[in-house]
Amino acid sequence: MWLFRSVVGKLWFTILLLVSCVLFILTILLLKFFENYYVQEAEKELTRLATKVSEVMYDYEDEKLARSIAWTLVGNTSKAVIIVDSSHYWYSPANDELHDLPVSLIKQDKDLRKVLTEGKRVKKKTYLPNLQTGKSQYSDVIIVGVPLEMADGKRGAVFIYQSLRAIEDTTEQTKKLIFLAAFIAIVLTTFFAFFLSTRVTAPLRKMRQAAFEVARGKFDTKVPILTHDEIGELAMAFNQMGRRLQFNINALNQEKEQLTSILSSMADGVITFNREGEILITNPPAERFLQAWYFEQGNDAETMAPLPPQAKELFVRVVREEKEQSIELTLQGRTWVILMTPLYSKTTVRGAVAVLRDMTEERRLDKLRKDFIANVSHELRTPIAMLQGYSEAIIDDIAATDEEKKEMAKVIYDESLRMGRLVNDLLDLARMEAGHITLNYETVQLAPYIGRIIRKFQGLAKEKQIDLSAECKNEDIKIAIDPDRIEQVLTNLIDNAIRHTDKNGMVKIIAERSGDGVTIHVQDSGSGIPEEDLPFVFERFYKADKARTRGRSGTGLGLAIAKNIVEAHKGTISVHSKLHEGTTFTFYLPNGPHEA
C-alpha cells in the first residue's frame, strides 16, 4: 500500500500501534483493578452486614423482631441465611435475582462449614452451578459467613451472599468508558500523528524534490529553511552541499575546459589509452594522424586496426616494461615520432599516454641542410679543381706558347668569377632569408623598363635563333618597385628561359595590370620541367636538366633568390610547365610605397 511506503504512513502506523498497545495494557490493568476493587468492597460490605445481623440476633430476644430487622439490613441486592442448627435456619425474603442457598451446600463446603464448626469468619468467591434464577443462570457469587451467638447460648452462623452480576455490570460500564476513551485517543492520535508527520515530512518532501533537481544537474536548487531544529539544520546542510557541489562542478568544468583547450591548442598530438589499448582521448593533431592511418588501410572496416602495428607494439612494451618508449614511423609521406609513457593508478599501470610529433618539416630541413652542404661542395669542387689544375700547368710551364698561357689564365679567371657569383648568391640568399633585404622603391614606367631588360638578351637570343619579345596589355603602367631587385628577377627568369629553349624557339614576357599591382608572365617554348620536379623548382641548387653541361648552367640559386625578392615585395610567384611544351613563370607585384 502507498500509505506504508511513505514516511507519513509509517510514522502514523507506528504511533497508532504504540498508543493501541498502551491502551490495551492499560485497559486490562484497569479492568483487573476495578474487578478486585469491587470484590473487596463487596466483601467488606457483606462482612459488615453479616456482623450487624449477628449482633441484632444476639441483642434481641424476640427472634421474629430480630429477623425482621436483619432482613431490613440485608436489603434486596443480597440474600441472607441464619443457621442455628440443622433444623433451625431462616432465609431472607425472596429475591428476584437470588434463590435460597441450601444448608447442605454450606455444610459440604470445607471452607464455609468452618464458620459452623470452628467459629471463623469466611469470605469466599465460588462457582455454584446449581444456583439458578427463573431467567438467568449465575454461577459466580460471593459468600461471607460470620459466627452467630444467640441469647440462649446457642451457636450458629450468618451467611450473606450476593451475585457478582452487579460487579459485572460495573465492569461492563467501565469497559465501555475505557473503549470510548481509547477510541477518542486513537482518533486524536491519528490526527496528531498525521499533523506531526506532515510537519516532519513536508520539509523532507521538499528536500527529496530538491535532491531530484540536483541529480538532474540543477545545483543551484535551494531548500527553504522553515525551522531551526534538526530538520532545519538538515536543510541548511543540504543547501551547503548544493553550493559546494556547484563550486566543485564549476571547478571541474573549468579544469576540463582548460585541459581541453591545452590539448586542442597543442601542436603535438596526444592519445590516451586504457590498459587494454583502447583509445580514450585524442586531440586534433592526433586525429589527423589516425585519419592518415585509416586512409592508408583503405575502407575495409572489418580489418581496420585502430593503430599502426609499430604503435601497438610500442604500447605493449610500455605496459610490460613500465617505462618510457619511443619510435619513429612514416605515414602517408609524413614522418611521426611517437613518445609513449605509462599512466599509473597509485602503483599499477592503468594505461599509457602517447605524444605524437610531426617531424616532417624537421626531417626536410635536415635533408635540405645535408643537400646544401653536398651541393655547395659539388659546385665548388669543379672550379677549385680547374683552378688548381691550370695553375699547376702554368707553374710547371706546361703551356708552350703565350697564347696557351692566356687561354689557361682565361679559364682560371672564368672559374674564379663563377665561384664569386656562387658565394655572392649564397650571401644574398642568406640575407634575404634572414629578413635583412632592403628595398629601394621607385615608380617606374613598366613598358620601357621591361624593354631595357630584354635588350640585354637580344644578342644571346639571336645567337640561338630564339624569338625574344615583350607585351604590355595595359598602356602606361606605372608601379612602385625596387627596379634593381626586380631586374634581377627578370634577368634570372629570362636567362633560364633562353638557356632551356631550343633553336627557333620563343621567349615572351607579358605584363598586365592586376588590381592594384601588376602580373608578369615569362613564357618559353623550351623543354619544360618534369611534373615531379615542379614542387622543388624554388629550392636552392635545384636544376631541372641534370645532364646540362656545367659551363652553361647557373649556380642553382637563381630561382630561390627570385622567390625571396618577390616575397619581399609582398608578392607571389608560381610556375606552370608541361614537359616538351614549355614553361611559364608568373609573379605578382603589388604597388609599393611611392618614393619621397
Side-chain angles (χ1 to χ4, degrees):
M1 293 175 62
W2 67 269
L3 187 63
F4 295 104
R5 289 199 299 267
S6 65
V7 177
V8 174
K10 291 177 181 177
L11 284 175
W12 170 76
F13 183 74
T14 303
I15 296 173
L16 190 62
L17 183 63
L18 180 62
V19 171
S20 299
C21 291
V22 171
L23 288 177
F24 177 74
I25 296 172
L26 183 61
T27 300
I28 294 176
L29 294 177
L30 285 176
L31 290 176
K32 190 67 177 177
F33 169 76
F34 284 123
E35 183 180 354
N36 293 333
Y37 176 77
Y38 288 136
V39 170
Q40 290 175 2
E41 290 297 318
E43 289 177 351
K44 289 179 181 178
E45 181 63 20
L46 292 178
T47 302
R48 187 184 64 78
L49 287 176
T51 303
K52 192 70 175 177
V53 169
S54 176
E55 290 176 353
V56 168
M57 294 299 294
Y58 178 80
D59 291 339
Y60 291 90
E61 294 180 359
D62 188 352
E63 290 184 357
K64 290 183 178 181
L65 177 62
R67 287 197 300 271
S68 177
I69 294 172
W71 304 150
T72 302
L73 291 175
V74 171
N76 296 325
T77 58
S78 302
K79 189 77 174 176
V81 57
I82 301 174
I83 301 174
V84 176
D85 50 36
S86 300
S87 59
H88 295 86
Y89 53 88
W90 301 274
Y91 291 96
S92 62
N95 190 309
D96 294 335
E97 297 290 336
L98 296 171
H99 276 186
D100 297 339
L101 180 67
V103 175
S104 59
L105 181 63
I106 296 173
K107 291 182 177 181
Q108 291 174 2
D109 190 279
K110 64 178 181 179
D111 294 322
L112 296 178
R113 66 188 179 192
K114 288 182 181 180
V115 180
L116 296 172
T117 58
E118 300 177 9
K120 293 182 178 181
R121 293 188 175 190
V122 176
K123 301 175 184 178
K124 186 172 183 179
K125 180 181 177 183
T126 185
Y127 175 75
L128 302 176
N130 295 325
L131 187 62
Q132 297 182 356
T133 66
K135 298 179 181 179
S136 304
Q137 177 176 346
Y138 296 94
S139 57
D140 286 338
V141 293
I142 182 169
I143 303 173
V144 175
V146 296
L148 171 65
E149 184 178 354
M150 301 296 290
D152 57 0
K154 293 180 179 181
R155 293 183 178 276
V158 177
F159 291 94
I160 297 180
Y161 54 95
Q162 181 180 341
S163 173
L164 292 179
R165 173 65 183 273
I167 297 175
E168 291 177 357
D169 291 342
T170 304
T171 304
E172 288 297 324
Q173 293 296 326
T174 305
K175 285 182 180 179
K176 291 179 181 179
L177 291 175
I178 291 175
F179 287 149
L180 178 61
F183 175 75
I184 295 173
I186 290 174
V187 171
L188 292 177
T189 300
T190 300
F191 173 75
F192 285 113
F194 271 101
F195 175 75
L196 178 62
S197 301
T198 303
R199 292 280 294 176
V200 171
T201 58
L204 295 179
R205 288 196 298 270
K206 292 180 180 179
M207 289 184 196
R208 182 188 64 179
Q209 186 64 30
F212 285 142
E213 294 293 328
V214 170
R216 285 191 287 267
K218 298 179 180 178
F219 299 105
D220 56 347
T221 304
K222 295 290 186 286
V223 177
I225 301 174
L226 304 177
T227 59
H228 296 285
D229 52 8
E230 290 83 354
I231 295 178
E233 293 177 355
L234 179 61
M236 186 182 302
F238 185 90
N239 292 337
Q240 291 177 354
M241 180 193 68
R243 289 193 296 270
R244 193 64 186 174
L245 279 175
Q246 179 72 36
F247 175 79
N248 291 335
I249 292 298
N250 290 337
L252 288 175
N253 287 334
Q254 290 177 0
E255 185 175 352
K256 181 180 178 182
E257 291 174 0
Q258 185 177 3
L259 290 175
T260 303
S261 299
I262 292 172
L263 283 175
S264 300
S265 60
M266 286 179 63
D268 296 337
V270 177
I271 302 178
T272 303
F273 304 91
N274 60 13
R275 189 171 179 84
E276 287 71 33
E278 298 173 350
I279 297 175
L280 300 178
I281 300 174
T282 61
N283 66 340
E287 291 173 1
R288 289 195 293 271
F289 169 81
L290 294 175
Q291 288 171 1
W293 165 243
Y294 298 150
F295 180 81
E296 186 168 291
Q297 290 185 94
N299 297 324
D300 190 358
E302 295 182 359
T303 59
M304 187 173 291
L307 288 172
Q310 303 94 319
K312 190 66 177 177
E313 293 174 3
L314 180 68
F315 172 78
V316 173
R317 289 204 312 271
V318 167
V319 174
R320 183 180 64 247
E321 300 178 11
E322 296 187 8
K323 64 180 182 179
E324 186 179 280
Q325 304 279 349
S326 64
I327 60 169
E328 182 173 325
L329 57 87
T330 301
L331 197 64
Q332 291 290 302
R334 304 195 69 83
T335 302
W336 297 85
V337 172
I338 303 177
L339 179 66
M340 195 173 293
T341 306
L343 287 176
Y344 290 93
S345 177
K346 294 184 179 178
T347 57
T348 60
V349 176
R350 63 179 179 87
V353 58
V355 178
L356 297 85
R357 177 164 295 177
D358 188 353
M359 300 294 290
T360 306
E361 186 65 20
E362 286 78 357
R363 296 296 178 261
R364 189 184 70 85
L365 293 176
D366 289 343
K367 184 176 182 302
L368 286 177
R369 185 173 62 251
K370 294 176 182 178
D371 291 346
F372 174 75
I373 295 173
N375 287 328
V376 169
S377 301
H378 183 70
E379 291 294 334
L380 290 176
R381 182 177 59 183
T382 300
I384 290 175
M386 295 183 70
L387 288 174
Q388 182 180 357
Y390 281 102
S391 60
E392 286 179 355
I394 293 173
I395 293 172
D396 294 338
D397 289 329
I398 294 177
T401 64
D402 292 339
E403 184 177 347
E404 290 179 353
K405 291 181 180 179
K406 287 181 180 180
E407 185 178 349
M408 291 182 182
K410 180 70 167 55
V411 172
I412 293 173
Y413 177 72
D414 290 341
E415 292 300 324
S416 63
L417 290 178
R418 183 162 173 258
M419 288 179 62
R421 287 198 306 272
L422 177 61
V423 173
N424 290 332
D425 288 346
L426 285 173
L427 292 175
D428 289 344
L429 186 59
R431 283 197 297 270
M432 291 177 186
E433 291 181 346
H436 297 156
I437 183 173
T438 303
L439 300 179
N440 300 313
Y441 283 94
E442 297 179 13
T443 302
V444 298
Q445 193 80 21
L446 195 59
Y449 173 75
I450 294 177
R452 178 176 59 81
I453 294 174
I454 65 174
R455 280 197 294 272
K456 296 191 303 182
F457 293 93
Q458 288 295 345
L460 181 60
K462 287 180 180 180
E463 181 183 342
K464 295 191 64 175
Q465 298 182 12
I466 294 173
D467 181 18
L468 178 61
S469 62
E471 177 186 354
C472 288
K473 292 187 176 182
N474 303 97
E475 297 296 334
D476 196 24
I477 300 178
K478 293 183 178 180
I479 188 168
I481 57 174
D482 185 337
D484 294 335
R485 293 294 187 180
I486 298 303
E487 181 177 350
Q488 186 178 357
V489 173
L490 286 171
T491 299
N492 183 275
L493 295 178
I494 295 171
D495 181 64
N496 284 344
I498 293 174
R499 286 191 292 108
H500 290 84
T501 302
D502 296 331
K503 185 178 179 181
N504 299 323
M506 176 271 298
V507 176
K508 187 175 184 179
I509 295 88
I510 302 173
E512 58 183 345
R513 188 176 297 280
S514 179
D516 190 39
V518 64
T519 300
I520 300 175
H521 308 274
V522 179
Q523 298 178 348
D524 67 62
S525 59
S527 57
I529 303 173
E531 183 178 355
E532 62 272 14
D533 288 342
L534 285 175
F536 309 104
V537 294
F538 295 106
E539 298 288 346
R540 290 176 290 187
F541 297 108
Y542 170 77
K543 294 180 182 180
D545 190 355
K546 309 293 190 301
R548 189 172 296 274
T549 59
R550 186 169 302 276
R552 295 297 301 273
S553 66
T555 61
L557 299 173
L559 290 178
I561 294 173
K563 180 183 179 183
N564 279 275
I565 293 174
V566 171
E567 289 179 350
H569 282 77
K570 310 299 182 186
T572 57
I573 186 170
S574 60
V575 60
H576 299 278
S577 180
K578 284 189 176 181
L579 202 60
H580 308 304
E581 292 186 12
T583 304
T584 300
F585 281 89
T586 301
F587 62 95
Y588 165 77
L589 297 173
N591 199 8
H594 296 278
E595 58 179 336

